């Protein structure tokens, strides 16, 4: 054989892969069927199809290598079909509402000292209800991409649990993480238990002393 077998085999691979284009052109055909068709196309290829200059030895090697080319092509087709354009989300909007503070209490002073807070106002996230309506959910402060809610005392009762679920849902819808700031370790343990019982994972807890 006068032709270099390595060069011939290298050139034969793309040629065989081109031969099986028709066998795998239908993108909606399952991969296993595409591979089966590709193998059948290769099995039915003649020595002339693969290349006269290859000879019987190079031809046999090309037939051995060709299924890899077929599989590579199938993989490329599947990757193209499964590709999705990236989803672009609008940045979350932090609203501010006037807050009725009432008489000053220790809890009020603690909440007003949260990072990113504004005197007489509360930061809010929009919560979309099942009927499509939108309602604000209050917090106490904002730190970068975190929304802060301060709790001088954790109250694990229906009203407190309802507030927790409102905050968690608003955080999920706005793709944010919340932070509960608690004054001591005792309240932190109570907060972690409340979050765990409610299966809430998008609110973290940290101790911030008054």
């Amino acid at each position: 054989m006068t032709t270099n077998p390595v060069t011939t085999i290298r050139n034969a691979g793309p040629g065989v892969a081109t031969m099986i284009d028709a066998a795998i052109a239908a993108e909606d055909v399952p991969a296993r069927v595409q591979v089966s068709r590709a193998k059948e196309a290769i099995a039915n290829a003649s020595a002339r199809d693969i290349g006269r200059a290859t000879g019987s030895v190079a031809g046999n090697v090309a037939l051995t290598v060709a299924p890899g080319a077929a599989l590579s092509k199938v993989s490329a087709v599947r990757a193209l079909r499964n590709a999705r354009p990236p989803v672009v989300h609008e940045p979350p909007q932090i609203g501010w509402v006037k807050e009725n503070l009432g008489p000053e209490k220790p809890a009020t002073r603690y909440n007003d000292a949260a990072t990113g807070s504004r005197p007489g106002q509360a930061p809010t996230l929009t919560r979309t209800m099942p009927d499509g309506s939108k309602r604000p959910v209050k917090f106490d402060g904002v730190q970068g991409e975190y929304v802060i809610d301060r709790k001088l005392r954790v109250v694990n009762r229906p009203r407190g649990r309802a507030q927790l679920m409102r905050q968690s849902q608003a955080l999920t819808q706005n793709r944010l993480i919340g932070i509960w700031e608690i004054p001591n370790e005792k309240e932190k343990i109570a907060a972690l238990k409340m979050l765990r019982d409610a299966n809430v994972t998008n609110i973290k807890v940290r101790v911030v002393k008054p």
Side-chain angles (χ1 to χ4, degrees):
M1 183 169 61
T2 59
T3 305
N4 186 319
V6 175
T7 304
T8 303
I9 294 166
R10 184 184 298 116
N11 294 333
V16 176
T18 302
M19 264 176 45
I20 63 173
D21 277 344
I24 62 173
E27 292 185 7
D28 294 331
V29 178
R32 64 179 182 275
V33 177
Q34 293 179 2
V35 174
S36 176
R37 289 179 180 177
K39 288 181 177 179
E40 183 179 354
I42 295 164
N44 293 330
S46 65
R48 183 185 302 273
D49 295 325
I50 297 171
R52 294 178 181 177
T54 61
S56 60
V57 175
N60 289 337
V61 176
L63 288 173
T64 303
V65 174
L71 289 171
S72 176
K73 187 176 291 294
V74 171
S75 177
V77 170
R78 288 171 62 84
L80 182 62
R81 185 176 62 220
N82 294 332
R84 296 289 184 271
V87 178
V88 178
H89 297 288
E90 292 294 329
Q93 299 295 320
I94 304 294
W96 294 88
V97 296
K98 186 176 181 180
E99 194 167 30
N100 183 15
L101 299 178
E104 185 173 342
K105 297 179 180 180
T108 304
R109 291 194 297 270
Y110 184 63
N111 294 350
D112 288 349
T115 301
S117 62
R118 296 180 183 178
Q121 292 184 304
T124 64
L125 290 177
T126 299
R127 175 186 174 214
T128 303
M129 307 299 291
D131 62 1
S133 62
K134 299 181 183 297
R135 299 180 185 178
V137 177
K138 292 183 180 181
F139 293 83
D140 291 316
V142 180
Q143 185 176 21
E145 296 184 353
Y146 296 92
V147 186
I148 298 170
D149 192 56
R150 282 196 165 189
K151 297 186 177 300
L152 192 62
R153 182 168 175 266
V154 176
V155 180
N156 194 351
R157 294 179 181 175
R159 183 175 178 179
R161 290 192 289 271
Q163 182 197 40
L164 165 60
M165 298 313 298
R166 288 195 301 270
Q167 290 183 343
S168 180
Q169 290 171 6
L171 289 165
T172 297
Q173 292 174 4
N174 288 275
R175 302 172 303 282
L176 292 174
I177 297 294
I179 298 177
W180 277 6
E181 292 185 343
I182 309 297
N184 53 55
E185 290 295 332
K186 177 182 177 182
E187 295 299 325
K188 179 180 178 180
I189 292 172
L192 290 172
K193 182 180 186 303
M194 185 173 176
L195 293 171
R196 184 173 59 252
D197 291 346
N199 198 29
V200 170
T201 59
N202 58 355
I203 296 178
K204 311 304 179 184
V205 181
R206 67 185 178 193
V207 173
V208 179
K209 295 184 178 181

